[in-house]
Amino acid sequence: MYNKRSFALGSKRSVIREIFEYSKARKAEIGENKVFDFSLGNPSVSPPKEVTEAIIDLVENTEPTALHGYTSAQGDAGVRQKIADSIKRRFGVDMPASLIYMTCGAAASLTITLKALFDKGDECIIFAPFFTEYTVFIENAEGVPVISMPEPETFQIDISDFESRITERTKAVIINSPNNPSGVVYTEATVKRVCQILEKKSREIGHAIYLIADEPYRELVYGNVFVPYIMNYYKNSIVCYSYSKALSLPGERIGYIAVSPQAECADEVYLAVCGAGRSLGYVCAPSLFQQVAARCVDTRVNISAYAENRDLIYNGLKRLGFECVKPDGAFYLFVKSPDGDAFSFYERAKKHELLIVPCDDFGVTGYVRIAYCVSKETITGSLAGFEKVAKEYGLI
Ligand code: PLP
């Protein structure tokens, strides 16, 4: 027989997967450019040319057994040093390479970090709206997800709600900014308040509460919006970084965990990270892409196309009377269903070939997510359909 929990997880209906399948079938039926698919957070911008050049150069000029062989479990020492140096340059944190652990992207960074920290029944606070996989990752580490509801208008963290969720069992808090699905960047004042509360509560309950920053979207920020680097605000912090969106490499699975050098027992926490990675069978992060990441440590994808898409879709939907917060980062727009029902909004939009994601599973009911990492033509072509939906709802 099989494990019941794993079976339940594997057989649970995934709305995004269903939309993806529907999109493929519908495109085959009526034509690629007649379906406006906003369901997936798959980057639409190509990796920077530095990435392609690095791959070619590495493949052509490195001894293959070295390039494709196992690295040490925590990652190649030279790669980790380059990343540590970059953290120091960018954020002023005196980051030793010995606290960097290379991973297969943010999902692996999170599962490893949670497994490293959690004992059975430990609680992990997550801020709604949140990336739906958090509950899966936390439960896999035998933890308990505790949801903190946001400020309703801005989707910033509601500080008093957050404080009320902390108990003696709180082991960690995950912060994701820029946020999937809202696109909101938490302000520095918000981050400071969160950290002050965590310091106070850690003292009261007598153990560290870790702040985990899930940062796949750190580099996708529009205008001069500031994304605080948590190690500069809170000592017991861990950064779960990924190159999936920063370099448009989601299928290559590369990222890292950085344990703050200021964290209590930082070396022991790091060893727990190594142990968790080992027990989860990660062995090592992809060797070639560790080297690519090291060479492209200060390279970023060109986000101008995302910025243009954001303005087109945000302004377009606002003009039609839809309610949404202007995203400062990532490539998602979180839109309120005019009748408060996310699923009916999804169904109505689908009738006009608009594929959007109903988000009740993201911790806030009555919203849909529009992933605008698509071609400009998809956005401009979709607006006529959204206009029809707006008319049906009586918004215009
Ligand atoms: N965290 C958030 C908030 C995400 O949106 C995603 C992917 O979309 C991940 C983690 C996982 O990213 P990765 O591809 O680096 O594993």
Side-chain angles (χ1 to χ4, degrees):
M1 273 300 271
Y2 42 81
N3 176 274
K4 292 279 186 298
R5 250 180 68 191
S6 297
F7 173 78
L9 198 56
S11 49
K12 195 175 159 208
R13 179 174 163 267
S14 153
V15 184
I16 296 184
R17 212 181 311 147
E18 271 178 24
I19 298 173
F20 181 63
E21 293 306 326
Y22 173 82
S23 169
K24 271 198 301 189
R26 191 69 181 145
K27 281 178 179 170
E29 200 179 327
I30 65 168
E32 187 82 19
N33 60 357
K34 298 218 169 60
V35 180
F36 304 95
D37 185 350
F38 296 101
S39 61
L40 280 186
N42 217 359
S44 53
V45 170
S46 297
K49 71 172 183 351
E50 289 85 342
V51 167
T52 315
E53 285 166 4
I55 295 169
I56 293 170
D57 184 50
L58 283 160
V59 170
E60 287 183 347
N61 298 309
T62 319
E63 206 275 303
T65 52
L67 184 61
H68 302 297
Y70 294 121
T71 68
S72 63
Q74 59 270 49
D76 178 85
V79 170
R80 293 187 294 132
Q81 190 59 56
K82 286 240 165 67
I83 291 171
D85 293 345
S86 156
I87 291 174
K88 178 158 191 182
R89 266 195 314 277
R90 292 185 66 194
F91 308 113
V93 174
D94 211 354
M95 188 73 219
S98 59
L99 292 178
I100 305 261
Y101 182 95
M102 300 306 296
T103 66
C104 304
S109 301
L110 287 164
T111 47
I112 292 171
T113 300
L114 293 168
K115 181 116 181 126
L117 297 177
F118 279 35
D119 289 307
K120 195 177 170 83
D122 282 345
E123 293 172 4
C124 184
I125 299 178
I126 53 181
F127 298 105
F130 52 80
F131 178 51
T132 49
E133 295 304 278
Y134 287 166
T135 54
V136 177
F137 299 162
I138 293 165
E139 283 163 6
N140 187 50
E142 299 194 285
V144 180
V146 174
I147 298 168
S148 173
M149 296 309 286
E151 296 279 0
E153 298 299 316
T154 60
F155 289 110
Q156 290 284 326
I157 292 168
D158 179 334
I159 294 295
S160 57
D161 183 89
F162 164 58
E163 189 163 8
S164 75
R165 308 280 172 183
I166 300 174
T167 74
E168 293 199 335
R169 289 309 306 258
T170 306
K171 178 60 78 66
V173 174
I174 300 178
I175 197 166
N176 168 225
S177 173
N179 179 268
N180 174 9
S182 70
V184 163
V185 173
Y186 298 137
T187 64
E188 185 181 27
T190 300
V191 171
K192 278 186 175 161
R193 283 296 291 135
V194 166
C195 295
Q196 281 162 0
I197 288 166
L198 285 178
E199 265 160 30
K200 183 179 84 157
K201 290 284 185 179
S202 298
R203 269 196 308 274
E204 278 170 27
I205 63 180
H207 66 77
I209 304 175
Y210 293 93
L211 183 56
I212 302 169
D214 176 27
E215 303 212 321
Y217 302 102
R218 163 165 287 279
E219 321 305 345
L220 273 54
V221 177
Y222 311 112
N224 292 324
V225 175
F226 174 60
V227 185
Y229 196 67
I230 50 154
M231 289 190 196
N232 287 323
Y233 298 83
Y234 187 68
K235 64 179 185 171
N236 288 314
S237 58
I238 300 175
V239 172
C240 290
Y241 188 83
S242 166
Y243 294 95
S244 292
K245 323 279 164 150
L247 294 178
S248 285
L249 292 173
E252 307 300 354
R253 315 308 302 141
I254 187 75
Y256 63 81
I257 296 166
V259 177
S260 170
Q262 303 299 321
E264 285 164 33
C265 314
D267 293 334
E268 285 80 356
V269 170
Y270 183 78
L271 288 174
V273 164
C274 296
R278 181 178 172 190
S279 72
L280 290 166
Y282 277 114
V283 184
C284 66
S287 172
L288 167 60
F289 281 89
Q290 288 190 43
Q291 298 296 337
V292 172
R295 290 202 183 185
C296 299
V297 82
D298 294 322
T299 304
R300 304 287 166 257
V301 86
N302 180 352
I303 61 165
S304 57
Y306 296 145
E308 192 182 4
N309 283 358
R310 175 198 67 158
D311 291 344
L312 281 171
I313 190 79
Y314 173 78
N315 293 333
L317 294 197
K318 285 297 273 187
R319 245 193 321 271
L320 295 171
F322 290 102
E323 273 182 58
C324 43
V325 179
K326 188 167 187 180
D328 282 324
F331 38 47
Y332 305 109
L333 187 66
F334 203 49
V335 188
K336 192 171 186 175
S337 171
D339 65 0
D341 181 339
F343 208 76
S344 79
F345 189 10
Y346 156 72
E347 288 287 1
R348 245 178 226 268
K350 195 171 157 192
K351 289 203 181 96
H352 300 288
E353 313 302 345
L354 308 166
L355 304 182
I356 56 183
V357 176
C359 282
D360 290 358
D361 285 352
F362 291 62
V364 177
T365 51
Y367 282 78
V368 299
R369 187 189 78 176
I370 293 177
Y372 57 81
C373 42
V374 293
S375 68
K376 184 177 168 186
E377 293 68 41
T378 302
I379 308 254
T380 48
S382 73
L383 290 174
F386 279 115
E387 188 172 341
K388 288 181 192 144
V389 178
K391 280 190 182 139
E392 287 176 21
Y393 276 118
L395 298 179
I396 47 173

